[in-house]
Amino acid sequence: MSLKVVNLSKRYNDMWALRDVSLETATGEVFGLFGPAGSGKTTLLKAIEGKFPLNGGSVQVNTTDVTALAGTARKITVPEYESPSIWRRVFNDENSATKVDARSRAVLRAIESADSVLLLDDPLCGMDAGEREALADKIRNVARERGVSVLFASNDFGQILRACDRAAVIVKGEIKQSGPPQEIYEKPESRVVAYVTGRNNLFAARRLTSSKAETPEFFTIDGGHRLFAQRIERGALGALNQNVTLAIRPEQVSISFGASFPEDNLLKASVRRIQCLGPTTLIELDADGLRLDALVLRVVGLDVGAECMVGLPPDRIQIFRD
């Protein structure tokens, strides 16, 4: 069974809660719906289920239009705990561990009994790491085995990466990007997607080179550094007299004390903070006013206040006009 949502819209007075939302899931697929709190995830699930009238769009299950019947035709299953307010009460309860176990069982019962489409609203919230991984794997396996189409909503992109085959990013009621989760993370199409999908270095810069240059060069507003970035379409470079946003993930930033290679955009920086995150360590850096984060597996020879060279590989620096 598959689910297709076409240009779904919902307005409350003069505010759009959902605007022209379109997505399509495949049989046996777990499709992620990711967005920050208040982005419209729960509203979209309720709209698909038929909880309220729409201002446009349609919901189709296996090409059958169920827009007017979604809440009554038993085509779509929503576990009882989907309300965010109920979740908060569960997590504040003295027996929250028991409630989490019960919710896990409820999710499995729902997916194992679903005959068409299953909507899950933050199903892994409140669970420990082991529980999350086990249930995410179970959801994917059962969905494939039973041919159930699952729409999995979460505000944790790590869960989307773990549990979902494909995903869509929703922000302020609009879909900003869709595709395989890893592709969304590695190749965000806009500044907002780069920001909400995980830790990122985002900083303003202005282009120095012609739009015809083989490798575009930029001047950072903070720190005044000249940086080369990856080559992109001329229309996405922005005007010479307008700022753009450059982005590079912390794990793509390198730290060294050795020889310098200008083609790697090496900058001199000082260590502001070192924070252990378990299997990785976050290093906060200052390059003459340009603040950068680097994510490394091990910290060797670095202390707060130390100076080092920071490399920003051009092919890892993305350019956003918005």
Side-chain angles (χ1 to χ4, degrees):
M1 293 289 184
S2 62
L3 170 71
K4 186 175 183 179
V5 175
V6 182
N7 296 330
L8 209 63
S9 297
K10 175 62 180 177
R11 186 178 64 234
Y12 294 102
N13 297 320
D14 294 330
M15 182 167 35
W16 289 97
L18 300 172
R19 191 160 191 174
D20 294 328
V21 172
S22 296
L23 57 84
E24 186 171 1
T25 71
T27 299
E29 177 183 52
V30 180
F31 189 97
L33 181 63
F34 169 77
S39 60
K41 299 185 300 297
T42 296
T43 300
L44 177 56
L45 296 188
K46 290 182 177 180
I48 292 172
E49 192 191 5
K51 290 291 189 180
F52 44 68
L54 303 173
N55 294 102
S58 65
V59 177
Q60 301 172 23
V61 175
N62 270 14
T63 71
T64 300
D65 193 323
V66 297
T67 309
L69 303 174
T72 59
R74 303 184 64 81
K75 289 288 186 182
I76 297 173
T77 303
V78 181
E80 294 178 355
Y81 53 78
E82 54 87 27
S83 167
S85 61
I86 293 177
W87 282 63
R88 283 194 291 270
R89 288 199 295 274
V90 168
F91 299 149
N92 290 331
D93 189 273
E94 291 181 0
N95 299 315
S96 59
T98 302
K99 295 295 181 67
V100 167
D101 290 340
R103 190 170 67 251
S104 177
R105 291 194 297 272
V107 172
L108 292 179
R109 283 198 302 270
I111 195 171
E112 288 171 353
S113 62
D115 60 357
S116 178
V117 176
L118 177 66
L119 308 181
L120 296 177
D121 195 354
D122 235 351
L124 309 183
C125 183
M127 298 182 183
D128 62 36
E131 291 171 328
R132 288 195 302 269
E133 292 181 4
L135 186 53
D137 289 344
K138 185 67 173 177
I139 290 173
R140 294 188 69 166
N141 292 337
V142 175
R144 289 195 187 102
E145 291 169 3
R146 292 187 53 81
V148 175
S149 183
V150 178
L151 188 56
F152 179 109
S154 177
N155 62 2
D156 183 338
F157 199 71
Q159 294 182 12
I160 299 295
L161 285 164
R162 174 80 188 192
C164 304
D165 303 293
R166 292 187 301 127
V169 178
I170 184 171
V171 179
K172 295 183 178 179
E174 297 184 30
I175 299 295
K176 298 297 183 180
Q177 187 173 345
S178 59
Q182 185 174 350
E183 182 178 299
I184 292 173
Y185 179 82
E186 294 178 349
K187 300 178 180 178
E189 296 175 355
S190 64
R191 185 187 190 282
V192 66
V193 173
Y195 176 74
V196 301
T197 53
R199 188 177 279 111
N200 214 330
N201 292 296
L202 301 165
F203 47 92
R206 189 163 294 190
R207 181 162 52 89
L208 296 173
T209 51
S210 163
S211 60
K212 298 179 181 179
E214 183 70 21
T215 304
E217 185 178 14
F218 294 84
F219 181 84
T220 66
I221 303 305
D222 292 333
H225 301 286
R226 297 170 72 103
L227 300 176
F228 290 100
Q230 62 179 253
R231 187 180 183 183
I232 61 173
E233 295 181 3
R234 292 173 59 181
L237 285 170
L240 281 170
N241 61 349
Q242 293 181 345
N243 289 355
V244 296
T245 297
L246 301 185
I248 183 169
R249 297 283 186 188
E251 63 269 22
Q252 296 165 344
V253 175
S254 63
I255 298 175
S256 69
F257 301 93
S260 63
F261 300 93
E263 63 270 20
D264 286 338
N265 289 323
L266 277 192
L267 310 177
K268 188 175 182 179
S270 60
V271 178
R272 298 179 59 247
R273 184 186 181 201
I274 298 176
Q275 180 182 8
C276 177
L277 301 178
T280 60
T281 298
L282 180 68
I283 302 175
E284 298 179 11
L285 303 150
D286 186 339
D288 292 328
L290 178 63
R291 299 293 179 86
L292 298 167
D293 287 344
L295 199 61
V296 299
L297 292 176
R298 294 177 57 209
V299 177
V300 179
L302 273 184
D303 294 301
V304 174
E307 292 189 344
C308 60
M309 300 303 295
V310 178
L312 310 177
D315 63 338
R316 298 294 189 173
I317 297 180
Q318 296 174 306
I319 307 164
F320 302 118
R321 293 179 58 184
D322 59 333

